Amino acid sequence: MGYTIRRVAVIGAGTMGAAIAAHLANAGFAVDLLDIPPKSLTPEEEAKGLTLDHPEVRNRIVRAGLERAKKAKPAAFFVEDRARLIRIGNTEDHWDRLREADWIIEAVVEDLAVKREVMARIEAVRKPEAIVTTNTSGLPLREIGAGRSPEFLAHFAGTHFFNPPRYLKLVELIPGPATKPEVLDALERLLELRLGKRVVRAKDTPNFIANRIGFLSGAFVGKYTIEQGYTVEEVDALMGPLIGRPKTAHFRLLDLVGLDVAAYVGQHSMAALRHDPFVALVQDSPMNQVMAAMIERGWLGNKAGQGFYKKVETPEGAQYWPLNLQTLEYEPPKKPRWESVGKALKMEDLRERLRFMAAQEDRAGGFVRDVLDFYLAYAAYVAPEVADDIMAVDNAMKWGFNYELGPFETWDALGVAETVARIEARGWPVAEWVKDFLAAGGRTFYQYENGRIVGYYDFRERAYRRLEPHPRVIVLRELKSEGRVLERNPSASLLDLGDGVLCLEFHTKANALDPDIFAMMERALERLDREDWVGMVIGNQGEHFCAGANVFVIGVSAQQGMFEAIDQGVRAMQRLMMTMRYFHKPIVTAPFGMTLGGGAEVAMHGARMVASAETYIGLVEVGVGLIPAGGGCKEMIRRVLTPAMQTENADPLPFLRRIFETIGMAKVATSAEEGRALGFLSEADRIVMNPDFLLHEAKREVLHLAESGYRPPLKAKLYAAGRDLLAALRIGVWQMREARYISEHDAKIGEKLAYVLCGGDHPEPMWVDEEHFLDLEREAFLSLCGEPKTQERIWHFLQTGKILRN
């Protein structure tokens, strides 16, 4: 049968429960969030004369959980307004609300007895066919669901979200002892499409996949660090991007998670993993005593202001001092350097980098080699216990911890036979299936064609299985390996997405716009016009969509007085943006991540925008002393002010102020939904929750528009407010300067921006062509490029990555 999920209930408003409820609200679900009523009054409640029966008191715990989610950093909600979808209550007065829920998520404390009691209460009120899941991070589902009816157990599963749920891809989906396959299928579809998660099906084993491997591997790192005399700084320098892992590396991650949480997980994991032979390799770790001492002192990590690192104010500015693991004193950072690491970091290919580091005989190479070998040995050993295949293990580690490669991809990079030889030499266990694989002549766990994975080794069947690609995932790297590149230059490529759809991909550093990108855009438009293509997607799969224009080129040109070249470059970009907007075939832009300055302008000039939910879009040019000049000001006038002024006697000032503040304060949306609220996205633009599906959905949008008989919009007439509104904005700039909120140069930028947004200082409001605003943008941009203080800002930004307020 089909399962329709409209209302969800979350039981438990702690860190995870409230954050899960927030993300459900992000996805548009109506949510009930419940927690226990308090057993005692606070001094404030006593002072007010309240009792334990008062509604304000009875919902205190759940309300506090929701408020924490509202204030969370990074934000749990796309926009704060989504919190309106959450109805709070307590588990005594509002338990009957569960009768309305189509999906009930238990997220209470990790205590088996408590969870079993909650399940019994849920069974008493849940409607037939309602799905129930537990968010346990490792307790056995067969024990949580013990004693429940067959009908309940048929609809019971585990959905282990990773924290923070909004940002981390992974949800481990764990079947209970009798879960119906169609329930698991329905949950997987919902998690992927509506919540934007990537799902890995795990077995009902202690800690499931990611935490099982991550915990024991992390315990080995801690023990090895102290026994071999490495420092906190050294370990984090070696366990981050160097080996394809996040910048939080090891000790920064512990500070982020919280040492108390990490210790709690460790205690329960060690108790649950007595059967695991690898546990003996990490027992009696001296790191346990270090962490116990830190916890006793309250050094719990980021939430306590100090952990393995402590922020220290120095004459040179704020620094993060690492902890000396022997003395438990904080010391000035030493920034460890190794010649081998310097060479490795110059290698763009991670597999090449890993092979290089594993071959080094210095302290850096020794650490990387030993840590990776333990990690790989353990992942292979537990894989058959925790998962159905190696892909589930690899994906769990990549999606749960943001690793670039999973353990079996790493095995292939380092060489399976070579790694097994090192592991055996150390006396560590090697999985029998890995030995059988090598004995049968196996060399790599994955099969590759042109650098693309096309198959994987099935440890159950002892044979390779063809990889079935996900129907909603387009991987540009794979299209390139198939020969689907039509044209390429150093900064951009034009690819065939199939079904008559082109893709214009940027691939500069941070995907910053430069002349080569504009040249490829010209070629793309020419081919789209003359050849039999139905439309085009502008998208890529880097870390960010586009960080804006190449500021270095602008800075050099301005410093050398090459204003004619700047003028020509700005005119070229404006022309391309207008050609895109009014092109006779649909062009869909697919922004994600940082979409700033010129990147935002590109995104706004398509026929439609299909944006990742995690799109951080903004016109930020004022940060380097400029204003948007690629059509950004014009677009905000078209999107925000002009529609409002279609209403007779409408007041333009609130809308102008809104635009002025958005651009003048360089506001960057913290989500695509906030981008819509700021005016960067229109109501017709789509937001995709799952970033892995973004290009697929953008392509679908192109095909939909083409099949619907797409026609470009009529040329727009925009509202130019003129002199009176310009005076009002200038007064605001003057007041901010007088109050010393902004500098003299900030005020100069603000006045030029106000002039552009008002369409000049003509005496009466009037309707003008878009080119009117484009001309004003360009003139203001050129004028600011000639300002010495703007040039100072540009060079300061290029040298430090920070904004100068001169």
Side-chain angles (χ1 to χ4, degrees):
M1 66 167 288
Y3 290 88
T4 302
I5 307 296
R6 295 189 181 89
R7 177 170 283 278
V8 185
V10 178
I11 304 168
T15 299
M16 282 302 296
I20 291 169
H23 196 56
L24 287 161
N26 288 336
F29 288 105
V31 185
D32 279 298
L33 179 61
L34 307 182
D35 210 318
I36 60 172
K39 294 185 170 68
S40 60
L41 295 171
T42 66
E44 292 78 12
E45 289 166 344
E46 289 180 346
K48 291 181 181 178
L50 302 178
T51 68
L52 287 174
D53 294 327
H54 193 283
E56 183 180 328
V57 175
R58 294 186 70 75
N59 285 346
R60 184 221 306 154
I61 293 174
V62 68
R63 185 179 296 107
L66 180 58
E67 289 303 314
R68 281 195 303 273
K70 288 180 181 179
K71 297 172 183 175
K73 300 293 181 185
F77 289 97
F78 287 163
V79 288
E80 191 172 329
D81 188 58
R82 286 300 171 97
R84 293 193 299 114
L85 290 171
I86 298 177
R87 179 173 60 169
I88 63 172
N90 66 73
T91 54
E92 291 183 9
D93 303 331
H94 307 107
W95 195 255
D96 275 358
R97 291 181 184 175
L98 299 190
R99 299 181 189 276
E100 305 172 36
D102 305 301
W103 178 18
I104 301 168
I105 303 173
E106 170 270 304
V108 301
V109 64
E110 285 287 280
D111 182 294
L112 182 59
V114 173
K115 287 181 182 290
R116 291 180 67 171
E117 179 186 351
V118 169
M119 291 302 162
R121 292 188 66 198
I122 291 172
E123 184 173 21
V125 298
R126 67 175 278 274
K127 63 184 179 182
E129 307 299 332
I131 295 173
V132 180
T133 66
T134 174
N135 185 56
T136 179
S137 59
L139 293 175
L141 268 72
R142 60 186 175 278
E143 296 185 23
I144 294 174
R148 306 281 60 80
S149 69
E151 202 278 335
F152 180 97
L153 292 176
H155 295 87
F156 172 61
T159 46
H160 178 213
F161 288 81
F162 275 60
N163 190 32
R166 171 181 164 183
Y167 298 95
L168 286 185
K169 284 185 180 182
L170 180 63
V171 172
E172 289 176 319
L173 178 59
I174 308 100
T179 315
K180 292 199 295 187
E182 52 265 41
V183 169
L184 294 173
D185 292 343
L187 282 169
E188 184 164 354
R189 284 194 302 273
L190 182 145
L191 287 163
E192 285 198 337
L193 292 176
R194 291 292 302 276
L195 294 181
K197 303 290 105 183
R198 293 310 302 271
V199 174
V200 166
R201 297 200 184 192
K203 294 182 180 180
D204 189 11
T205 57
N207 286 16
F208 312 126
I209 302 174
N211 279 349
R212 172 78 171 271
I213 297 172
F215 162 70
L216 221 65
S217 300
F220 176 81
V221 171
K223 184 176 184 182
Y224 187 90
T225 295
I226 293 184
E227 289 181 346
Q228 300 299 319
Y230 287 87
T231 68
V232 165
E233 269 191 300
E234 287 176 329
V235 171
D236 279 356
L238 296 170
M239 288 207 64
L242 173 71
I243 61 170
R245 298 187 181 183
K247 293 178 181 178
T248 46
H250 181 76
F251 289 108
R252 287 189 187 90
L253 180 62
L254 286 172
D255 277 356
L256 180 64
V257 169
L259 272 68
D260 52 342
V261 174
Y264 176 84
V265 171
Q267 292 165 6
H268 284 263
S269 296
M270 295 295 276
L273 297 175
R274 293 191 183 97
H275 67 286
D276 191 325
F278 276 78
V279 167
L281 300 176
V282 300
Q283 277 181 332
D284 303 320
S285 170
M287 184 58 75
N288 295 339
Q289 286 73 50
V290 172
M291 289 185 62
M294 294 171 69
I295 291 169
E296 185 178 350
R297 299 180 188 192
W299 300 354
L300 304 181
N302 293 358
K303 60 188 173 186
Q306 64 186 108
F308 288 102
Y309 290 90
K310 179 181 180 180
K311 187 177 180 179
V312 176
E313 295 295 335
T314 73
E316 293 78 29
Q319 295 180 348
Y320 287 89
W321 287 22
L323 185 71
N324 183 309
L325 298 174
Q326 278 70 46
T327 66
L328 294 190
E329 299 286 340
Y330 292 97
E331 299 178 344
K334 296 182 177 64
K335 297 183 179 179
R337 297 282 189 271
W338 297 274
E339 185 179 350
S340 61
V341 172
K343 290 179 179 178
L345 289 173
K346 294 176 182 177
M347 302 173 185
E348 291 189 11
D349 182 78
L350 174 58
R351 290 169 173 83
E352 179 187 1
R353 201 156 68 234
L354 290 173
R355 286 192 295 272
F356 175 82
M357 286 305 304
Q360 302 308 301
E361 295 302 327
D362 62 358
R363 276 172 56 81
F367 182 92
V368 169
R369 185 169 53 249
D370 289 352
V371 164
L372 286 181
D373 284 353
F374 183 93
Y375 166 62
L376 301 183
Y378 189 57
Y381 190 87
V382 301
E385 180 187 346
V386 301
D388 289 331
D389 54 57
I390 63 171
M391 293 199 64
V393 176
D394 275 355
N395 288 336
M397 301 311 293
K398 289 190 292 186
W399 298 339
F401 296 115
N402 283 334
Y403 292 178
E404 288 185 47
L405 295 177
F408 295 100
E409 293 171 306
T410 305
W411 270 99
D412 284 356
L414 295 180
V416 179
E418 298 93 321
T419 304
V420 165
R422 289 197 302 267
I423 292 169
E424 288 182 323
R426 293 184 176 94
W428 297 343
V430 175
E432 290 299 322
W433 71 268
V434 174
K435 296 178 183 178
D436 294 344
F437 166 79
L438 289 175
R443 297 185 61 192
T444 60
F445 291 124
Y446 288 98
Q447 291 176 314
Y448 302 86
E449 289 180 6
N450 299 318
R452 182 168 64 94
I453 294 176
V454 297
Y456 65 94
Y457 183 74
D458 187 329
F459 50 65
R460 296 176 301 179
E461 300 294 329
R462 296 295 199 266
Y464 283 102
R465 185 184 294 272
R466 192 73 179 174
L467 174 62
E468 296 297 328
H470 196 296
R472 293 177 181 270
V473 175
I474 294 174
V475 181
L476 294 181
R477 183 181 64 254
E478 294 180 359
L479 295 186
K480 292 175 183 178
S481 72
E482 295 171 7
R484 304 271 284 275
V485 178
L486 303 172
E487 295 193 34
R488 177 185 172 89
N489 67 28
S491 301
S493 295
L494 192 61
L495 295 88
D496 177 3
L497 284 185
D499 300 314
V501 180
L502 290 171
C503 178
L504 176 61
E505 177 202 22
F506 307 157
H507 42 71
T508 55
K509 184 178 180 180
N511 291 326
L513 302 174
D514 67 6
D516 279 340
I517 285 180
F518 293 135
M520 187 58 69
M521 193 177 291
E522 292 268 17
R523 285 292 299 140
L525 293 171
E526 287 174 15
R527 296 189 68 154
L528 191 58
D529 181 38
R530 297 175 183 173
E531 299 174 13
D532 193 23
W533 302 96
V534 300
M536 180 168 69
V537 172
I538 299 180
N540 59 72
Q541 291 178 320
E543 186 176 357
H544 302 295
F545 176 72
C546 178
N550 189 320
V551 181
F552 177 77
V553 173
I554 296 170
V556 170
S557 299
Q559 194 170 52
Q560 295 181 357
M562 300 167 61
F563 298 110
E564 184 176 346
I566 296 173
D567 180 63
Q568 289 175 353
V570 174
R571 286 177 186 271
M573 181 175 180
Q574 290 181 342
R575 184 181 68 254
L576 281 169
M577 296 302 98
M578 293 295 283
T579 302
M580 278 175 52
R581 171 157 168 72
Y582 293 108
F583 205 75
H584 60 95
K585 293 180 182 178
I587 298 173
V588 171
T589 60
F592 61 95
M594 291 298 181
T595 302
L596 305 176
E601 290 170 320
V602 170
M604 289 193 288
H605 278 87
R608 291 287 189 279
M609 197 187 304
V610 175
S612 169
E614 300 299 338
T615 297
Y616 315 123
I617 187 169
L619 295 167
V620 297
E621 287 85 350
V622 297
V624 290
L626 299 167
I627 70 162
C633 297
K634 176 268 298 180
E635 275 299 295
M636 296 302 281
I637 293 294
R638 184 181 72 80
R639 291 160 176 260
V640 177
L641 177 62
T642 296
M645 299 315 295
Q646 307 291 333
T647 301
E648 190 175 355
N649 297 323
D651 181 1
L653 186 56
F655 301 97
L656 264 176
R657 277 183 176 152
R658 177 180 156 194
I659 299 169
F660 183 81
E661 290 173 3
T662 298
I663 299 175
M665 297 174 67
K667 289 185 179 180
V668 176
T670 59
S671 67
E673 286 290 0
E674 187 177 10
R676 199 195 302 276
L678 290 172
F680 294 115
L681 280 75
S682 73
E683 289 302 317
D685 293 331
R686 288 180 53 203
I687 295 174
V688 175
M689 291 290 285
N690 195 317
D692 292 342
F693 299 169
L694 183 62
L695 285 182
H696 171 81
E697 293 301 319
K699 176 184 170 181
R700 282 184 61 195
E701 190 70 13
V702 169
L703 294 172
H704 168 72
L705 291 171
E707 290 163 4
S708 302
Y710 177 75
R711 293 291 181 272
L714 294 174
K715 287 278 187 177
K717 286 285 189 179
L718 306 185
Y719 186 83
R723 183 179 59 198
D724 292 347
L725 273 294
L726 175 58
L729 293 183
R730 281 174 168 167
I731 289 171
V733 170
W734 178 83
Q735 289 174 330
M736 293 189 72
R737 184 184 61 203
E738 289 298 300
R740 297 186 179 179
Y741 290 122
I742 61 175
S743 69
E744 287 289 336
H745 193 54
D746 289 327
K748 180 175 286 189
I749 298 165
E751 293 224 358
K752 288 186 180 294
L753 176 61
Y755 188 86
V756 172
L757 295 179
C758 292
D761 59 358
H762 43 86
E764 297 290 337
M766 59 184 183
W767 294 91
V768 300
D769 293 332
E770 289 171 284
E771 286 74 13
H772 177 82
F773 281 94
L774 292 176
D775 290 342
L776 293 177
E777 282 186 20
R778 190 176 63 256
E779 291 163 7
F781 187 89
L782 285 166
S783 172
L784 288 167
C785 281
E787 292 284 343
K789 289 188 180 295
T790 286
Q791 293 176 20
E792 286 177 21
R793 292 190 178 195
I794 290 173
W795 289 112
H796 185 269
F797 175 76
L798 288 169
Q799 291 163 2
T800 68
K802 298 178 180 178
I803 301 302
L804 174 66
R805 301 302 300 271
N806 55 351

